[in-house]
């Protein structure tokens, strides 16, 4: 029998889907709104080269269908939330036991067909790879630049907009759009951390303190290195009075202690 996903692909592409949101059994899922992506030209669009493996065909069919039905934003959001929900055992049990998800899961037709296909073929774990590849396809097709912004405390809406504008104006190439996600980590003390897809800009107070501490330690090591060398050279001279042996031993012991404290001597 042909794959459920393959058999329904043509039907999905001909049908305009208006998804309902809110689960019966799992009400904390789903709440996205659909958006129009008229700038995605499916005639020119190709699956990103980084997308491969046995799930690549599913990703391509799902993406093309979602664009044609104007549900790309919806399916994109649903897949992210489904991925999170798969961490819950009761959700996975429901997917495996229900022959049809239409009565228990109010999502777009595209997402439902995908989940039914994965459940019937015992490949529900593939939803993680599919979500990652689908997200990659969306980002590339929509010319998006994603950045995670980490702050020490929650930013109000106006502060977030100011940060987004600064990022868009100074760090994003023209023709690309910024998508910023904000999260809070009190341990950074202050400032911000920008996590781009291939780069991290750490402008946190914690990083500044650590850098200052490291530079200070390097300076102390250099100073004490020089002092130890001078002492060693001075007390190695033949004219050093024998009466100074106790003083020499004390100075050398002190120098050794300082080195160990600074981590210079093992």
């Amino acid at each position: 029998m042909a794959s459920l996903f393959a058999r329904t692909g043509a039907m999905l592409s001909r049908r305009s889907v208006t998804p309902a949101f809110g689960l019966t059994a799992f009400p904390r899922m789903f709440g996205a709104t659909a958006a129009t992506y008229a700038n995605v030209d499916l005639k020119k669009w190709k699956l990103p080269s980084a997308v491969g493996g046995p799930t690549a065909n599913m990703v391509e069919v799902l993406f093309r269908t979602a664009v044609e039905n104007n549900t790309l934003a919806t399916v994109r959001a649903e897949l992210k939330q489904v991925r999170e929900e798969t961490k819950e055992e009761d959700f996975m049990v429901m997917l495996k036991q229900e022959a049809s998800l239409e009565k228990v899961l109010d999502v777009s037709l595209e997402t439902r067909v995908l989940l039914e296909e994965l459940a019937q073929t015992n490949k529900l774990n593939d939803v993680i790879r599919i979500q990652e590849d689908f997200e990659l396809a969306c980002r590339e097709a929509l010319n998006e630049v994603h950045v995670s912004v980490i702050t020490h405390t929650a930013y109000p809406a106006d502060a977030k907009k100011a940060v987004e504008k600064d990022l868009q104006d100074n760090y994003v190439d023209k023709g690309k759009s910024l998508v910023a996600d904000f999260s809070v980590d009190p341990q950074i003390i202050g400032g911000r951390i920008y996590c781009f897809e291939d780069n991290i800009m750490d402008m946190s107070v914690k990083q500044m303190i650590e850098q200052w501490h490291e530079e200070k330690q390097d300076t102390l090591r250099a100073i004490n290195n020089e002092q130890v060398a001078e002492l060693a050279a001075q007390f190695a001279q033949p004219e050093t009075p024998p009466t100074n042996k106790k003083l020499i031993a004390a100075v050398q012991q002190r120098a050794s202690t300082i080195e160990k404290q600074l981590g210079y001597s093992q």
Side-chain angles (χ1 to χ4, degrees):
M1 183 175 68
S3 162
L4 172 66
F5 198 74
R7 285 187 290 111
T8 54
M11 180 267 290
L12 284 173
S13 64
R14 292 194 300 267
R15 176 174 174 179
S16 178
V17 182
T18 303
F21 293 101
L23 286 172
T24 301
F26 302 89
R28 60 197 174 91
M29 282 182 67
F30 309 121
T33 55
T36 300
Y37 292 123
N39 57 331
V40 178
D41 187 350
L42 289 178
K43 293 181 179 180
K44 297 180 180 179
W45 177 81
K46 292 182 179 180
L47 200 64
S49 58
V51 177
T55 59
N57 183 61
M58 280 189 170
V59 174
E60 180 169 5
V61 172
L62 187 62
F63 184 89
R64 289 183 178 277
T65 303
V67 171
E68 291 175 355
N69 290 335
N70 191 32
T71 56
L72 188 60
T74 298
V75 174
R76 188 180 187 183
E78 288 175 349
L79 287 181
K80 287 181 180 180
Q81 294 172 28
V82 164
R83 175 174 177 168
E84 289 302 310
E85 286 294 323
T86 55
K87 298 176 183 178
E88 303 293 335
E89 184 177 353
D90 53 354
F91 181 74
M92 294 295 284
V93 170
M94 182 272 291
L95 292 180
K96 294 176 181 178
Q97 291 181 347
E98 293 291 336
S100 173
L101 299 177
E102 187 172 6
K103 296 180 180 180
V104 296
L105 195 63
D106 287 336
V107 294
S108 64
L109 180 60
E110 294 91 336
T111 299
R112 177 166 58 82
V113 168
L114 171 67
L115 292 176
E116 289 177 350
E117 164 70 6
L118 294 176
Q120 288 187 18
T121 56
N122 295 317
K123 294 181 179 179
L124 281 170
N125 289 333
D126 285 350
V127 74
I128 296 176
R129 174 66 181 272
I130 291 171
Q131 185 275 324
E132 291 176 348
D133 288 345
F134 190 85
E135 179 66 20
L136 180 61
C138 289
R139 293 184 183 188
E140 186 172 300
L142 302 174
N143 289 319
E144 293 178 348
V145 174
H146 283 240
V147 57
S148 295
V149 182
I150 304 173
T151 61
H152 73 292
T153 186
Y155 274 23
D158 56 343
K160 288 182 178 180
K161 288 182 179 179
V163 171
E164 289 172 346
K165 185 178 186 306
D166 176 64
L167 289 169
Q168 181 71 54
D169 293 344
N170 298 294
Y171 299 101
V172 177
D173 294 336
K174 290 184 178 180
K176 293 184 178 292
S177 57
L178 173 77
V179 178
D181 297 318
F182 288 81
S183 61
V184 175
D185 182 0
Q187 294 187 359
I188 72 171
I189 304 174
R192 295 186 292 271
I193 300 176
Y194 296 146
C195 300
F196 291 90
E197 295 171 359
D198 56 358
N199 188 30
I200 296 178
M201 295 176 56
D202 193 337
M203 297 182 290
S204 65
V205 173
K206 179 182 178 183
Q207 169 66 12
M208 293 178 185
I209 293 174
E210 290 178 349
Q211 185 175 354
W212 173 83
H213 180 71
E214 185 176 343
E215 290 174 353
K216 181 181 177 182
Q217 292 291 78
D218 288 341
T219 300
L220 289 174
R221 288 192 186 97
I223 292 173
N224 283 279
N225 249 356
E226 186 176 344
Q227 289 177 342
V228 170
E230 289 178 356
L231 286 170
Q234 177 183 346
F235 293 112
Q237 300 300 321
E239 61 269 19
T240 302
T243 53
N244 287 343
K245 284 186 178 180
K246 290 185 178 180
L247 176 60
I248 293 172
V251 171
Q252 289 177 334
Q253 180 63 36
R254 178 58 181 160
S256 176
T257 301
I258 292 174
E259 284 185 300
K260 289 180 180 179
Q261 290 174 344
L262 292 173
Y264 174 74
S265 176
Q266 299 297 325

